[in-house]
Amino acid sequence: MDKLEFKGTWNEVKGKLKQKYAQLTEDDLVYEEGLDDQLIGKLQKKLGKTRDEIIKEIKSI
């Protein structure tokens, strides 16, 4: 699987995810370069979705 490519637009993506999933907090959506897997893991736990579902969701925004 390729790396997520949202560095430049992360604030926009983060806002859309927070709108769609009200249970997500700012802490859940902290993105640090190189820690994509950690972010995806947090989102998987919080949303109860698979890794592929999370990645598809992020890439669709």
Side-chain angles (χ1 to χ4, degrees):
M1 191 196 72
D2 58 304
K3 286 283 184 187
L4 294 174
E5 296 178 19
F6 53 67
K7 293 178 211 169
T9 60
W10 180 239
N11 285 333
E12 181 182 336
V13 171
K14 181 169 58 171
K16 289 181 180 182
L17 286 171
K18 284 169 72 174
Q19 283 178 340
K20 187 168 185 174
Y21 302 103
Q23 72 267 35
L24 293 177
T25 66
E26 194 69 30
D27 287 341
D28 294 326
L29 296 169
V30 171
Y31 171 71
E32 294 181 44
E33 192 169 341
L35 298 179
D36 299 357
D37 291 335
Q38 188 176 28
L39 171 63
I40 292 168
K42 278 188 198 178
L43 293 175
Q44 279 182 272
K45 270 182 145 176
K46 193 80 170 203
L47 300 176
K49 294 182 177 244
T50 67
R51 176 181 179 79
D52 289 338
E53 288 173 323
I54 297 292
I55 291 169
K56 186 177 178 182
E57 181 88 35
I58 290 171
K59 287 183 173 185
S60 74
I61 293 177

